Amino acid sequence: MKKIRTVTGDVPVDRMGVTLTHEHLLYTYPGGEHDHRSSYVLEDAVARISAELKAGMDAYGYGTLVDMTPAEVGRNPELMRRVAERTGANIIAVSGFFPERMGIPYWFRRQSVDELTDFYYRDLTEGMVFAGAATGIKAGAIKIATGQESVHPAPSPMGPNGRRIHQYEDRLIRAAARAQRKTLCCINTHTDPMDYTVTNPGVEQLEILEEEGADLGKVIVGHAFVEPRGVEQIEAIVRRGATVQVDHIGIPWRFDGDEGLDESMAGLMQVLADKGYMDQMVITYDRWFFNPRGPATQENPQLLNQGVGLGYIFETFVPRLRGKGFTDADVHRMMVENPRRLLSMDSL
Ligand SMILES: [Zn+2]
């Protein structure tokens, strides 16, 4: 049987259960690990995150979660491992970085595609490094990311290779493809909503991955539904064999609380399902369980990712999908069966 690689070991895919493909147990920004205001006590954070996750697992059957926190964004393998042990959740960590405008430390900007490939490969096969120390805790997927920062959202300028993807991002995407060829792991991506106004950032990522021989059938393009521009752009992604991630459900991101967003996403999903792409959709939040900057408030809209509850998908969004003709079997396909196929690390 195929297996996923979690922070507590390799697990057969039939033990995955309902899977969230893009979440964050702990989330900060590069540099936050040096700031007094965002310091935390590991055991307190583990207790708080575990309590919330376990309640969600008990109520809604979540079994597996991909922690999409990149290496330079406070990724803490030990925290993930302790939460997994305490809750029984399958937690998949990722190897990878933020977009270049927000992350990719200088250390990594100096590295070649081969060196970066080796970084991903060692994260996946030997274990991740935290604050200079080898942890032995392995990543189980790769994250790639492109686009601008969120303080002044704007489309990305044209990059050096005729795409709106910049030189270090380009290098990391090529390395991700090469590491995927060695490990047969999943690649999960961050695209920027604003970039859909000037290009199709999902397709741009897929083009580079394809140039390096990646298996697009094991690629999830994230945030492609966040600011829907019409079904054509999303269809262009699934036509190439990749999966699109329906995310930010219940979380307004670069929206002013647009209540029509759920309806618009559900409508696009219906169109894709009618065209035969049910196997190429997954559903998740992109929420964070704990942000050491403080709790979510209306005054801190950047913290709203923490404000949506783990029940929102099943209590609010799934009923909307049912209204559009989706069955419970369809939801099972998108939240259990598709993640099994995508997240299994097929070299295991
Ligand atoms: Zn995220």
Side-chain angles (χ1 to χ4, degrees), residues 286-328:
D286 193 10
R287 67 192 293 285
W288 50 63
F289 286 78
F290 175 55
N291 187 319
R293 281 177 294 164
T297 64
Q298 290 299 325
E299 290 71 40
N300 287 315
Q302 79 275 21
L303 297 178
L304 281 172
N305 296 55
Q306 207 173 299
V308 63
L310 272 173
Y312 190 90
I313 285 177
F314 288 101
E315 287 173 2
T316 305
F317 194 65
V318 166
R320 190 183 292 277
L321 290 178
R322 282 203 200 96
K324 300 212 173 289
F326 286 86
T327 64
D328 286 346

Side-chain angles (χ1 to χ4, degrees), residues 24-97:
H24 303 275
L25 296 185
L26 181 142
Y27 189 85
T28 173
Y29 285 121
E33 70 271 32
H34 306 299
D35 193 341
H36 305 272
R37 294 176 302 164
S38 57
S39 64
Y40 60 91
V41 175
L42 181 60
E43 193 46 40
D44 293 350
V46 167
R48 174 177 168 171
I49 295 164
S50 300
E52 188 178 11
L53 177 56
K54 187 72 171 68
M57 293 166 71
D58 291 345
Y60 304 104
Y62 297 117
T64 301
L65 171 155
V66 183
D67 186 329
M68 284 285 282
T69 305
E72 82 280 44
V73 187
R75 184 186 67 177
N76 187 332
E78 176 66 17
L79 177 138
M80 292 184 213
R81 187 181 64 77
R82 289 198 203 182
V83 170
E85 283 174 354
R86 194 171 296 200
T87 59
N90 302 310
I91 295 173
I92 299 174
V94 294
S95 184
F97 298 94

Side-chain angles (χ1 to χ4, degrees), residues 272-283:
L272 287 179
D274 287 346
K275 290 179 182 238
Y277 293 117
M278 188 88 78
D279 288 338
Q280 289 167 257
M281 288 189 276
V282 291
I283 303 173

